[in-house]
Amino acid sequence: MKTILPARRKERPLILGIESSCDETAAAVIRGRTLLSDEIASSADVQALYGGVVPEIASRAHTDAVGQVVRRALETAGVEKEELDAVAVTYGAGLLGALLVGLSFAKGLSYALGIPLIGVDHIRGHLAASYLEDESLQPPFVTLLASGGHTAVIHTVTETQFRVLGSTLDDAAGEAFDKVARVLSLPYPGGPHIEALAREGENRIPLPKMLKGEGGYRFSYSGLKTAVINYCHTKEQKREAWSRADVACSFQHAAVDILVEKTVEGALETGVKTVTAGGGVVANGYLRAALAEACRKAGLRLVLPSKKHCTDNAAMIAAEGLVQYRAGNFSPLSLNACASIPLGGVR
Ligand code: KG4
Ligand code: ZN
């Protein structure tokens, strides 16, 4: 089916980004790398009642919200939809029903306005979030990707060329935060709750530092998660007192320190001067401080997206839309949603 191309490619196009891969319905407008609006509606409160994301509830919530969220994004940006140069939308990875809501809405806009559709890989969106933080940021750099589904160290060679230095062999870092939160009876998503509880505890429970000093840039989180579960169960069986806050704090250190260490190693080995990061776990205050300190010591420049742009949002989708717009990669109106896109898709 037809691919709508721009009449002429602008230096600083006005791009609407739409994101609906999980439980956040988000829309944002950028002009060049300047963020004009950034709107989000979340069904997380409802999902929290179920201890995770229920796909059908997510799809229905997106259907309710998408029109309003897009209208708010245009209003806040102070632009009319007719002024848009392109619409960028997450086409994967994520929950199929959820993705289809945002994708279909974006296609409708693209068709009606006669502007290009740009399908965005959600993970590339996370990698592009840093571009909004520093308008002068240019590759090469090394990026820590740590979200609910992925954990990897990535060498960004150019805006569109990537080399995965290493990724997780089992669970993602965010998944480990969520599973440990469940063990500690904390709500979903677990990351922010573990971070808050960890502030009241100490790092004094010995936990395995998975693949530390070995395994190249690979990570493994399932052993850490099991060690936490075993610790809690053993304490309960022996009826010994234990501190949930100490568990949260010790887990957070173990989970984060390895990310920081391997990211800095990756930057030093590839010889880049700049480190960036993306994904929900990068909203973690302890990780941000530890990465900043490690980069300072290693003489590396660190560009971190704001916390709001680490967890799912549409500004990062618009930012990656701009990368694709400049590369001339536009999508046909037949573009379909993909439940999974291999990390290797990050070429
Ligand atoms: O990037 P994201 O919003 O969605 C995915 O693409 O997966 O990441 C969600 C993950 C969840 O596992 C959540 O617990 C984690 O990011 N997360 C955090 C924090 N905020 C969100 N993990 C640690 N500390 C946080 N403050
Ligand atoms: Zn995400």
Side-chain angles (χ1 to χ4, degrees):
M1 199 167 168
K2 194 175 157 197
T3 299
I4 302 174
L5 300 174
R8 71 180 173 87
R9 259 190 272 160
K10 295 185 182 169
E11 192 53 40
R12 286 170 57 77
L14 191 65
I15 298 181
L16 168 71
I18 300 178
E19 153 68 33
S20 71
S21 65
C22 193
D23 56 351
E24 261 96 27
T25 319
V29 177
I30 59 173
R31 189 185 301 276
R33 282 189 185 177
T34 308
L35 186 61
L36 302 183
S37 66
D38 194 7
E39 297 292 328
I40 197 155
S42 174
S43 61
D45 290 354
V46 185
Q47 309 286 1
L49 301 174
Y50 300 89
V53 178
V54 181
E56 187 173 329
I57 294 179
S59 306
R60 287 173 180 272
H62 288 310
T63 305
D64 272 349
V66 67
Q68 270 184 35
V69 171
V70 167
R71 183 174 326 125
R72 275 208 320 259
L74 292 169
E75 274 171 16
T76 311
V79 300
E80 300 294 331
K81 58 185 181 311
E82 289 74 16
E83 295 175 64
L84 292 170
D85 293 306
V87 53
V89 61
T90 309
Y91 76 95
L95 302 169
L96 265 186
L99 288 164
L100 286 169
V101 177
L103 181 57
S104 301
F105 195 92
K107 284 187 185 184
L109 272 179
S110 156
Y111 181 75
L113 298 170
I115 55 171
L117 175 75
I118 304 173
V120 168
D121 173 346
H122 181 84
I123 291 306
R124 291 225 194 168
H126 278 303
L127 299 179
S130 299
Y131 289 129
L132 296 169
E133 211 50 43
D134 177 348
E135 296 205 10
S136 69
L137 177 68
Q138 288 300 338
F141 44 77
V142 158
T143 308
L144 166 64
L145 167 66
S147 69
H150 290 282
T151 304
V153 179
I154 292 167
H155 180 195
T156 301
V157 184
T158 70
E159 282 191 356
T160 54
Q161 283 180 302
F162 304 86
R163 207 158 56 90
V164 180
L165 298 180
S167 57
T168 183
L169 301 173
D170 40 57
D171 292 352
E175 209 176 338
F177 269 90
D178 294 338
K179 286 178 177 168
V180 167
R182 196 180 274 240
V183 175
L184 297 177
S185 310
L186 293 168
Y188 175 87
H193 298 282
I194 295 225
E195 181 178 355
L197 185 59
R199 276 189 223 114
E200 296 162 27
E202 281 179 45
N203 175 23
R204 60 171 161 207
I205 300 166
L207 291 170
K209 288 218 166 159
M210 323 72 57
L211 302 181
K212 186 178 163 62
E214 53 173 310
Y217 300 102
R218 286 177 296 177
F219 301 92
S220 169
Y221 278 96
S222 71
L224 175 61
K225 174 198 67 191
T226 308
V228 171
I229 293 173
N230 287 346
Y231 174 87
C232 302
H233 286 177
T234 307
K235 287 287 179 192
E236 268 165 21
Q237 270 165 6
K238 291 185 178 169
R239 295 179 190 276
E240 288 175 7
W242 61 284
S243 152
R244 287 164 72 246
D246 285 352
V247 170
C249 184
S250 307
F251 163 76
Q252 182 170 265
H253 271 83
V256 166
D257 292 351
I258 195 80
L259 295 173
V260 171
E261 190 177 301
K262 294 201 176 195
T263 303
V264 170
E265 249 172 55
L268 295 177
E269 196 178 302
T270 48
V272 300
K273 301 279 180 287
T274 305
V275 167
T276 72
V281 180
V282 180
N284 184 279
Y286 170 68
L287 183 152
R288 297 171 79 86
L291 192 55
E293 176 62 8
C295 285
R296 190 189 59 74
K297 278 192 185 147
L300 295 162
R301 177 172 166 249
L302 176 65
V303 179
L304 282 180
S306 64
K307 290 189 182 185
K308 187 180 179 193
H309 293 153
C310 290
T311 47
D312 290 348
N313 66 90
M316 69 182 196
I317 301 304
E320 175 60 14
L322 175 63
V323 168
Q324 298 302 331
Y325 178 98
R326 286 183 173 155
N329 293 332
F330 302 103
S331 308
L333 284 172
S334 56
L335 177 68
N336 219 325
C338 285
S340 71
I341 300 175
L343 192 57
V346 177
R347 292 178 296 275

